[in-house]
Structure formats: C-alpha cells, structure tokens
C-alpha cells in the first residue's frame, strides 16, 4: 500500500511538471517555468522516497530526500519573490 | 541537519501557499486556490512527519494526503488548460 502511494506521488508530481513546462513552452511565463522545475524537483524527491523506503533500505537517503525537496521549493521561492509583482 | 532542511522546506511550502492564496484573492483564479491549498497540505505533511517516528504506521496516511494534494494540483492544471476554461 505505502509503496503504491510513493510511486503515485512521484508520477503525479512528474505529470504536473510536464504539464507546467509544456504550458511554458506554448506561452512563456517565468512562474510556469519555475513551477515546472519545482514539481520536477518534487518528483525527484518522491522518487527518492520510494528508493529510500522500498528499494535501497540499507542506506539512509534522508539527506538526499531533504535536499531535493528544499531545492525544488527554492526554485518556486525565487519565482514568487523575485519574478512576480 | 535533515531536520533543519525539512523545517526550511516546510516554511517554504507555507510561504508558497500564502503567495498563491494572495494571487487567488487578487485574481479569483481557482488555479491559485488549488495551488495554495496543495502547498498548505505539503507544509502540514512535513510538520506531521517531523512529529512522527519514521516507522510509525500513520506516516502512510500522511503520504496519502500528499498524493491527494498532488492530484488536486494536477486537476487544477488540467482544468486551466482546457479550451473552455480559457474563453
């Protein structure tokens, strides 16, 4: 059950990233670009969650998971604070 | 170190939620409402995960709520990109 949830989180966040980046390509807007990058980072974060909890259980990937989540949100913070009025 | 980074991430989610809810208040565009609610859930997720043991059985429900937030945001993006919604 938990494994399914981790995979679905990764897939939905990846889908969000793809849709946002496609929308940016059609009609360029910096918030779309940085949001897309944020969700790509969140997809990586969720993929690392699956790897950490299910696949590579001997090694603690907690620091990698934490960093990927933070970097993803930093992309969005940059766009929201610096690029929007 | 991990707790510090997770705390920073939770704060970033909270700030993002505030921005999106402000955008919703200004534009009444429901995309921003869903994004604001979604990032609020992400923030709450990280708070709850910080309070629970990693092996606690309730963490599965936390990740389920994260999935529901992603699905809500995905719905908002699809809804925004539908041809009818742009008229």
């Amino acid at each position: 059950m938990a494994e399914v949830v981790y995979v679905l989180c990764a897939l939905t966040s990846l889908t969000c990233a793809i849709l946002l980046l496609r929308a940016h390509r059609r009609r360029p807007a910096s918030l779309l670009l940085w949001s897309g990058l944020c969700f790509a980072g969140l997809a990586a974060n969720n993929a690392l969650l699956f790897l950490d909890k299910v696949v590579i259980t001997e090694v603690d990937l907690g620091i990698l998971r934490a960093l990927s989540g933070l970097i993803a949100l930093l992309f969005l913070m940059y766009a929201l604070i610096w690029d929007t009025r | 170190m991990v707790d510090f980074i997770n705390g920073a991430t939770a704060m970033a989610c909270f700030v993002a939620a505030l921005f999106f809810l402000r955008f919703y208040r200004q534009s009444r565009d429901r995309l921003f409402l869903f994004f604001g609610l979604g990032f609020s859930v992400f923030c709450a997720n990280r708070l709850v995960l910080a309070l629970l043991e990693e092996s606690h059985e309730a963490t599965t429900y936390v990740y389920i709520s994260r999935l529901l937030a992603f699905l809500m945001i995905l719905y908002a993006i699809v809804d925004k990109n539908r041809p009818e919604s742009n008229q």
Side-chain angles (χ1 to χ4, degrees):
Chain A
M1 163 77 162
E3 299 83 4
V4 173
V5 174
Y6 302 151
V7 170
L8 288 175
C9 281
L11 290 176
T12 50
S13 50
L14 182 62
T15 307
C16 289
I18 291 169
L19 290 176
L20 287 166
L21 292 171
R22 269 175 43 180
H24 168 71
R25 202 171 61 178
R26 271 199 314 267
R27 197 173 52 181
S30 68
L31 187 57
L32 284 173
L33 170 65
W34 292 109
S35 298
L37 292 175
C38 171
F39 277 91
L42 291 176
N45 176 252
N46 288 313
L48 282 169
L49 173 67
F50 176 77
L51 287 176
D52 192 19
K53 299 279 193 182
V54 180
V55 179
I56 313 172
T57 51
E58 320 82 46
V59 178
D60 182 20
L61 301 179
I63 187 85
L64 279 178
R65 284 197 283 131
L67 280 172
S68 62
L70 181 63
I71 290 168
L73 266 297
L74 286 176
F75 286 144
L76 189 60
M77 285 296 100
Y78 168 77
L80 291 173
I81 293 168
W82 205 257
D83 251 2
T84 58
R85 272 180 243 121
Chain B
M1 179 68 168
V2 173
D3 290 339
F4 173 79
I5 295 171
N6 285 332
T9 307
M11 178 55 95
C13 289
F14 178 69
V15 171
L18 284 181
F19 267 101
F20 284 122
L21 291 173
R22 192 187 83 180
F23 294 157
Y24 171 70
R25 200 174 66 173
Q26 290 170 342
S27 67
R28 289 292 170 199
D29 186 341
R30 61 176 180 257
L31 175 81
F32 294 130
L33 175 63
F34 285 126
F35 267 70
L37 292 174
F39 278 94
S40 300
V41 169
F42 295 151
C43 175
N45 267 180
R46 292 188 190 270
L47 280 173
V48 173
L49 287 171
L51 295 172
L52 293 175
E53 292 288 328
E54 263 209 45
S55 56
H56 197 287
E57 60 194 28
T59 56
T60 303
Y61 298 104
V62 175
Y63 290 114
I64 288 173
S65 69
R66 180 187 285 191
L67 174 61
L68 293 174
F70 276 121
L71 287 170
M72 179 172 61
I73 289 172
L74 183 58
Y75 166 77
I77 295 169
V78 170
D79 179 56
K80 182 71 176 176
N81 286 315
R82 278 186 305 133
E84 309 87 65
S85 69
N86 288 329
Q87 290 172 356

